[in-house]
Amino acid sequence: MNLQAIFILAYLAITIGIGVYAAQKVKNSKDFILAGRSLPLPISTAALFATWFGSETILGSSVEFAKGGFLAVIQDPFGGALCLFLLGLVFAKYLYRMQILTFGDFYKNRYGKKMEFIAGICLIFSYFGWVAAQFVALGIMVQILFGINQFTAIVIGACLVVFYTYLGGMWSVSLTDFFQSISIVIGLVVVIIQLNDVKPIWSSISEKPDGFFSFFPKSNYHDWTLYLSAWMVVGFGSLPQQDIFQRVMSAKSEKVAIRASYYSSVLYLLFALIPLFLGLHAKSLLPDFDLYAESGQLLIPTMVSKFVSPWVQVLFFSALISAILSTASGAILAPSSILSENILKYAFKEMNDKKLLLLSRISVLIIAGISFLLAVGKPSIYALVEDSGGISLVTLFIPMVFGLLSQRADERSALFSLFVGIGTWLLLEIYGDDMTSHFYGTIASLVAILIGIFLFPKKEKSQVTT
């Protein structure tokens, strides 16, 4: 084992230690799911920043940017930054004031138990591909650093993140996110400085053809539909997601939740641009590298391995593992919280808080197990993320907006909106243009809830006179 691997093992040991320490703060299910609603601004900001800063940002979006410029990466990082900004601008204050544990609780309180159950199923399914992508990315890193086969590497990576998530829940996620976010920032900054000495990054930028850095599409309906769809998938679709909700609700106050949303939006966009330009630089330094092969996701790691010093490699791979771990832990905890609180607990008659905590931990193992099988069966990060994206957009975004900002929609109109949205999306995925299916699915969901409000007017509660 080389010296680099030893230092990275030490880094992973520190991460696990932080997770184990955080687990000591978990006394009940509220601690496990929402860290006791006690996170200060720096940790809350780091947790929100780390929501998406994982394998897709560093390994996936960087390659897409190298192939197609800004228009190829609107969904991430720009859509992610938009989501965090809208969270602070509109939604954080409403969500924080609700004394609930999960987004499923919101749909139950606002619409009813049928909506809670169906929304919970939609939320859980939207996470499997995302978690599996992080397992694959962890496996790739373990494989590169320690020279073992991919299956064993995925097993090791999955066990690592599941271990501290199982123990400490949101406390482990939050404290490790804070530590890992610092590692991400330092690692990426040092790498880009050293690679600029190998070849000025400005030279790689100036080599690109006209239109590569265009931020708006051509002036035709189809291109603008694709463009808006890319903004919406993460920018709108992640707003009703449990991982975002948990990070907002874990803040120690409403003011902290709002500020953390704004700060994380700026930080995410700022530091997510670094992998994009690293990918562009890698394409210039590695002209024979095949961006379109499945191994294309190794573009930046390959460049780092060839062109930077061993100690900077340690910083980079530590930063990359940090990004993946922080995303993976939150992505596992989110659907696990929905599964335990909004679905499984109804199967038991008597559930005290101790049993709920155990059920939450068992749910972590269930979600991780299913995601692991998916990771082994389809080891492409981009494909896994693509498969999981957009479900919450076409099913839950519109009912969430109307549930928070209007009192006119009831359970019938919300369910009508959900089924019309997902039905439209599925039909277009199978028979139409799957590139715009999220756009039209969301429009259909909006139209459906408006029709539902007209067809199913909300029943006013009768006033009892004495």
Side-chain angles (χ1 to χ4, degrees):
M1 184 180 296
N2 59 38
L3 197 58
Q4 291 171 277
I6 292 173
F7 274 95
I8 290 173
L9 278 177
Y11 173 84
L12 292 175
I14 293 172
T15 300
I16 293 173
I18 292 172
V20 172
Y21 166 76
Q24 299 175 16
K25 297 178 177 292
V26 176
K27 307 300 181 184
N28 51 50
S29 58
K30 183 178 179 181
D31 290 337
F32 189 82
I33 295 175
L34 297 180
R37 300 190 77 179
S38 58
L39 298 183
L41 181 60
I43 297 178
S44 185
T45 300
L48 282 166
F49 166 78
T51 306
W52 296 294
F53 210 108
S55 62
E56 174 63 7
T57 305
I58 297 178
L59 301 179
S61 296
S62 58
V63 177
E64 295 304 307
F65 180 69
K67 292 189 289 188
F70 280 131
L71 289 177
V73 292
I74 294 298
Q75 181 172 317
D76 182 34
F78 296 103
L82 173 66
C83 175
L84 293 171
F85 177 78
L86 291 176
L87 184 66
L89 182 67
V90 180
F91 299 102
K93 62 181 179 181
Y94 293 108
L95 294 173
Y96 193 84
R97 293 169 187 173
M98 300 179 181
Q99 298 297 315
I100 53 179
L101 291 178
T102 71
F103 234 123
D105 294 341
F106 162 74
Y107 289 106
K108 177 182 70 175
N109 293 348
R110 181 60 181 81
Y111 293 117
K113 285 192 174 182
K114 290 180 183 177
M115 188 65 182
E116 174 194 16
F117 181 81
I118 296 171
I121 295 296
C122 292
L123 283 168
I124 290 169
F125 272 91
S126 72
Y127 279 98
F128 285 132
W130 185 244
V131 176
Q134 310 313 311
F135 285 170
V136 171
L138 279 174
I140 290 172
M141 291 301 100
V142 173
Q143 183 180 21
I144 290 173
L145 294 170
F146 303 105
I148 58 181
N149 66 72
Q150 188 178 51
F151 177 81
T152 304
I154 292 176
V155 171
I156 293 172
C159 289
L160 177 66
V161 70
V162 169
F163 175 71
Y164 70 77
T165 306
Y166 175 88
L167 288 177
M170 194 62 198
W171 267 116
S172 289
V173 170
S174 300
L175 294 187
T176 54
D177 276 355
F178 182 70
F179 170 68
Q180 290 157 355
S181 295
I182 295 171
S183 301
I184 292 167
V185 170
I186 294 173
L188 289 176
V189 169
V190 171
V191 165
I192 201 168
I193 289 173
Q194 187 161 114
L195 283 170
N196 190 67
D197 292 336
V198 176
K199 177 184 177 181
I201 291 179
W202 183 253
S203 299
S204 298
I205 294 174
S206 62
E207 292 170 1
K208 303 314 297 178
D210 293 340
F212 186 85
F213 296 104
S214 296
F215 198 72
F216 298 101
K218 296 178 181 178
S219 299
N220 62 72
Y221 177 80
H222 182 70
D223 285 353
W224 269 96
T225 303
L226 289 173
Y227 182 72
L228 293 175
S229 181
W231 276 103
M232 291 165 62
V233 167
V234 176
F236 293 171
S238 290
L239 284 167
Q241 287 282 17
Q242 175 66 15
D243 53 347
I244 289 288
F245 171 84
Q246 281 179 269
R247 284 162 163 81
V248 169
M249 297 292 285
S250 298
K252 69 176 185 179
S253 69
E254 180 182 323
K255 183 181 292 186
V256 168
I258 294 171
R259 287 183 177 178
S261 301
Y262 284 135
Y263 294 164
S264 61
S265 174
V266 174
L267 288 173
Y268 182 73
L269 184 59
L270 178 64
F271 287 102
L273 289 175
I274 295 179
L276 299 188
F277 286 99
L278 283 176
L280 181 62
H281 203 42
K283 184 179 179 182
S284 177
L285 293 174
L286 302 169
D288 297 326
F289 191 91
D290 187 358
L291 298 176
Y292 295 90
E294 188 171 298
S295 59
Q297 57 200 1
L298 298 179
L299 174 64
I300 291 182
T302 301
M303 174 183 65
V304 169
S305 298
K306 288 189 175 184
F307 294 103
V308 305
S309 66
W311 291 112
V312 174
Q313 289 181 39
V314 170
L315 284 173
F316 170 77
F317 285 114
S318 296
L320 180 53
I321 291 173
S322 291
I324 298 167
L325 286 173
S326 61
T327 301
S329 56
I332 292 171
L333 183 63
S336 302
S337 302
I338 296 287
L339 181 62
S340 62
E341 289 289 327
N342 301 112
I343 295 178
L344 292 183
K345 78 174 183 181
Y346 292 118
F348 303 92
K349 291 183 179 179
E350 295 182 3
M351 289 296 292
N352 57 34
D353 206 68
K354 186 176 181 180
K355 290 180 179 178
L356 277 173
L357 177 58
L358 177 61
L359 188 61
S360 297
R361 285 175 165 154
I362 292 173
S363 296
V364 167
L365 299 180
I366 294 172
I367 295 297
I370 296 173
S371 301
F372 170 78
L373 294 176
L374 187 58
V376 173
K378 193 171 186 179
S380 168
I381 294 172
Y382 190 78
L384 286 166
V385 172
E386 186 178 41
D387 289 345
S388 67
I391 295 176
S392 59
L393 173 64
V394 300
T395 57
L396 301 176
F397 173 67
I398 296 300
M400 179 197 74
V401 172
F402 276 77
L404 287 172
L405 306 180
S406 171
Q407 294 299 316
R408 298 187 63 190
D410 67 358
E411 186 173 51
R412 293 170 298 175
S413 55
L415 287 171
F416 186 50
S417 171
L418 185 152
F419 285 118
V420 169
I422 198 169
T424 303
W425 174 64
L426 286 172
L427 286 173
L428 290 174
E429 284 282 317
I430 298 170
Y431 300 109
D433 183 0
D434 61 349
M435 299 298 292
T436 58
S437 58
H438 298 113
F439 176 82
Y440 289 113
T442 308
I443 297 300
S445 177
L446 173 61
V447 172
I449 203 167
L450 293 173
I451 294 174
I453 289 172
F454 175 76
L455 293 177
F456 315 117
K458 190 174 180 180
K459 296 177 181 179
E460 297 292 338
K461 293 182 180 179
S462 59
Q463 295 183 349
V464 178
T465 58
T466 57

